[in-house]
């Protein structure tokens, strides 16, 4: 069983640029959540996708957007990058019922540095 | 709004027992989860409590009191490999949808 995979693992961008991060969910999982984790902090909920529809969003501006594809893989797009966007971006998948157990399966994350 | 509070750091010695507390404020509460994260690694699920009481999984136990909006993670027979950050997370329907909201984490250092 393949776990959650994310790409790229590390990337460096400059202010104002755009970035796309990718996530392949675990086999059989149809729900994907994205989190932002700043150094020394807990993961902050960005949004969640279920069957290709966004069904929940945290306190992030519209320049954070996403997609979920028919195979349940997902993308996180961030436009007009700011220095504060530097963080580890975590993707987590679950079978929808998995949300009812509080268990998410996380990928290793994409480390974004904005200069 | 939603908030979770947990100690920022805890230190213990090998073989000891440590308890990490978590208090929370949220509407639409379903349950409390605990995750472990080693430096540079992904958060990994440890336990989930939806009902009051103690859940035991090997050396780790988790407790929930819904009336007190309080829970804790108990780690017994500490090992060096338990040095990591531990996060409590509430599953909540606040805002009309299910989501998992994390605390800021407790960094556990286990010493010989």
């Amino acid at each position: 069983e393949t776990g959650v995979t994310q790409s790229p693992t590390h990337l460096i961008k400059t202010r104002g640029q755009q970035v796309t991060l990718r996530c392949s969910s675990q086999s059989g999982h149809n729900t994907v959540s994205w989190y932002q984790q700043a150094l020394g902090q807990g993961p902050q909920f960005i949004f969640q996708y279920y069957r290709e529809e966004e069904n929940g969003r945290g306190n992030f501006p519209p320049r954070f957007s996403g997609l979920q594809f028919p195979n349940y893989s997902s993308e996180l797009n961030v436009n007009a990058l700011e220095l504060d966007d530097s963080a580890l971006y975590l993707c987590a998948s679950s079978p929808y019922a998995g949300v009812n157990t509080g268990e998410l399966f996380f990928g290793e994350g994409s480390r974004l540095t904005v200069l | 709004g939603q908030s979770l509070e947990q100690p920022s750091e805890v230190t213990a010695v090998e073989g000891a027992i440590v308890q990490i507390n978590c208090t929370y404020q949220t509407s639409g509460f379903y349950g409390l989860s605990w995750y472990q994260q080693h430096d540079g690694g992904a958060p990994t699920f440890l336990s989930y409590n939806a009902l009051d009481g103690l859940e035991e999984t090997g050396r780790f136990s988790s407790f929930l009191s819904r009336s007190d909006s309080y829970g804790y993670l108990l780690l017994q027979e500490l090992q060096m490999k338990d040095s990591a950050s531990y996060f409590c997370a509430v599953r909540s329907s606040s805002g009309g949808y299910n989501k998992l909201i994390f605390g800021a984490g407790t960094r556990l250092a286990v010493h010989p």
Side-chain angles (χ1 to χ4, degrees), chain A residues 35 37 40-45 48 55-58 88 90 99-104 106-108, chain B residues 33 35 37 40-45 47-48 50 87 91 96-105:
Chain A
Y35 288 82
Q37 186 175 27
Q41 299 297 314
Q44 298 294 307
F45 176 72
Q48 177 175 283
N55 76 336
R57 189 177 184 93
L88 180 68
L90 294 163
V99 178
N100 296 327
T101 66
E103 181 174 12
L104 298 179
F106 282 87
E108 297 282 339
Chain B
S33 295
Y35 283 77
Q37 186 179 31
T44 56
F45 173 79
S47 68
Y48 176 70
F87 299 92
R91 190 168 75 80
Y97 54 90
N98 251 322
K99 61 187 179 291
L100 208 58
I101 303 299
F102 285 77

Side-chain angles (χ1 to χ4, degrees), chain B residues 38-71:
Chain B
H38 287 98
D39 285 346
T44 56
F45 173 79
L46 294 176
S47 68
Y48 176 70
N49 295 68
L51 303 175
D52 286 357
L54 192 67
E55 296 278 345
E56 297 180 68
T57 309
R59 294 188 297 115
F60 294 1
S61 303
S62 58
F63 172 83
L64 176 66
S65 168
R66 294 175 69 113
S67 60
D68 295 324
S69 298
Y70 163 77

Side-chain angles (χ1 to χ4, degrees), chain B residues 13-41:
Chain B
V13 296
E14 268 188 303
I17 299 172
V18 71
Q19 178 174 313
I20 300 174
N21 298 320
C22 174
T23 57
Y24 59 86
Q25 279 189 315
T26 186
S27 56
F29 176 83
Y30 283 116
L32 185 71
S33 295
W34 288 92
Y35 283 77
Q36 179 192 61
Q37 186 179 31
H38 287 98
D39 285 346

